Structure formats: structure tokens, C-alpha cells
Amino acid sequence: NAGVTQTPKFRVLKTGQSMTLLCAQDMNHEYMYWYRQDPGMGLRLIHYSVGEGTTAKGEVPDGYNVSRLKKQNFLLGLESAAPSQTSVYFCASTLNAGRGADTQYFGPGTRLTVL
Amino acid sequence: LAKTTQPISMDSYEGQEVNITCSHNNIATNDYITWYQQFPSQGPRFIIQGYKTKVTNEVASLFIPADRKSSTLSLPRVSLSDTAVYYCLVGAGGVSGGYNKLIFGAGTRLAVHP
């Protein structure tokens, strides 16, 4: 049981390039989330998904797209990277969100630098 | 939306008890209070969650007064490995609970000294 994994761990992009970050969970969780964390700050929610085939915008969705084609995977895409997107990206999942605030399980993060 | 306020940083020494208080004056009836811990270069990790009164697990205790407008995370006998950022979250979860507005905030940076 690997929990939540993220690929890649590190990436350097040039402005205007595109890339996709992959998040995978093996806990059969329904809900998945993408956050970004800038130095010295807390996490901000980019997009989330309440189930396979569904996605929704979070607090800071501009410049990002997501897809949840399979229940266990949640992809975060940057179509045209900008230096302002330099950050650490965390993926998380929860079993469901039916009662209370279910525990979020986080991945190890992807450190992205846009030059 | 229940906004939380917690100290930016705290210092302690090994073996001491540490109490971190979080204010959430606008907490809603169906909101839970959850604390996460984050080490450098790692994702946050769940510590404890509660709704009211006191909750204790093998890692920490969570004290919630009757009005639920604040909560206190208590770490007994801290060690150097407890040096981390601690986040207080308030929310009910789910689309109706406002997942698009779940905010971690800057958290409390706890430094434990020898």
C-alpha cells in the first residue's frame, strides 16, 4: 500500500512550456485534490475532484487544468508555464467527504521551477 | 467560511509540553477541527481531529471548549523531531462544506531546542 504518490519529484521548465503532474492513490479514495505551496506559506487548493470523471475549481485554479479519467489518478496540467507557477505541488486524497472533514492523505510533493 | 488564526511561531525545549491555540470564531455547527503536521520537504500529515470536548490519541491531545470558538493542540514532552509546521483547519468537508475554500493558512512553526 503506497498511499499517495506523485510523479515527478522535481522538474524545471522554461516559460511557455507545458507539463503534466501525475498523482496516484491506491486507497480507493473518492476525493482527490491538488494544492500548491509557496515558500513560508500554507497550502492553497488549485482543483479538486469528488469522483471519477468530475473536477472542480479550488481557490487558485487559473493557469491549471485537471483530469480524473480513472478513480486512482488525478492529473494536473500546466499548458503554458509561467514563473509565478514556481512552487511545490501537493496531491491529497480522502476516502469521502460525507461526515465531518475526512482525513487528507498527502503525497510527497513535486518541486517545480519555471525559468 | 470559518477562518482560523494561530501563532506564527513558537519555541520550546525537549521534554516540555507544547500548547498551540487556534482561534475560529466563525465555526459552523457541522464543522470539525483538524490539525496537520508538516515537516520540511514533505506533505502535511494528519495529527488529530475533534468536534467538541477533548480528544486524545498516541500523538497529541485536542482541547475544544464548549463554544468551539477556539481549540488547543497539546503535544506532550516534545522532542527535536517535533520541529515542524502545525496547521489548524476547520471545515465540514464535501462540496456543501466548501472544499473549494479549505484554507491551510501559514500554520505555526514550532522549533524544539535541545
Side-chain angles (χ1 to χ4, degrees):
Chain A
N1 190 333
V4 179
T5 58
Q6 293 182 230
T7 308
K9 289 184 171 54
F10 304 94
R11 187 70 184 270
V12 178
L13 291 178
K14 293 181 180 179
T15 297
Q17 287 185 318
S18 63
M19 78 163 295
T20 300
L21 281 66
L22 171 64
C23 175
Q25 52 92 6
D26 60 1
M27 298 174 283
N28 201 34
H29 284 177
E30 289 292 336
Y31 286 64
M32 297 186 73
Y33 318 85
W34 275 107
Y35 293 90
R36 62 175 286 176
Q37 184 173 37
D38 299 317
M41 298 180 66
L43 283 75
R44 292 185 291 173
L45 183 65
I46 305 172
H47 286 280
Y48 65 98
S49 168
V50 302
E52 181 179 319
T54 71
T55 63
K57 294 180 180 180
E59 181 187 4
V60 288
D62 294 341
Y64 306 94
N65 57 75
V66 288
S67 63
R68 183 98 180 269
L69 299 180
K70 294 182 179 180
K71 185 177 183 178
Q72 64 268 32
N73 296 336
F74 195 29
L75 278 63
L76 177 70
L78 286 72
E79 291 187 348
S80 180
S84 61
Q85 294 178 304
T86 293
S87 189
V88 180
Y89 292 85
F90 288 101
C91 176
S93 70
T94 57
L95 178 60
N96 57 58
R99 187 185 73 86
D102 284 299
T103 301
Q104 295 192 42
Y105 294 84
F106 284 84
T110 294
R111 187 173 297 275
L112 174 66
T113 300
V114 183
L115 302 176
Chain B
L1 171 64
K3 179 183 176 181
T4 61
T5 303
Q6 43 182 135
I8 295 175
S9 64
M10 294 182 69
D11 288 273
S12 184
Y13 293 90
E14 286 190 289
Q16 289 188 333
E17 178 184 72
V18 172
N19 295 309
I20 306 174
T21 297
C22 178
S23 297
H24 27 81
N25 292 318
N26 297 325
I27 189 169
T29 302
N30 57 345
D31 282 344
Y32 280 70
I33 301 158
T34 310
W35 286 80
Y36 286 83
Q37 174 192 56
Q38 185 179 26
F39 297 114
S41 301
Q42 294 186 27
R45 182 176 69 121
F46 171 87
I47 300 177
I48 196 166
Q49 182 182 83
Y51 183 78
K52 62 180 179 180
T53 64
K54 176 184 175 182
V55 179
T56 298
N57 61 22
E58 65 278 6
V59 176
S61 294
L62 180 59
F63 299 91
I64 306 170
D67 65 6
R68 304 200 327 123
K69 293 184 182 299
S70 67
S71 60
T72 299
L73 173 72
S74 181
L75 305 172
R77 299 181 61 79
V78 294
S79 64
L80 296 177
S81 62
D82 291 315
T83 293
V85 178
Y86 292 82
Y87 297 97
C88 166
L89 272 73
V90 174
V95 175
S96 61
Y99 260 123
N100 61 327
K101 295 184 174 65
L102 260 185
I103 300 174
F104 270 74
T108 297
R109 292 185 176 275
L110 173 65
V112 180
H113 305 281

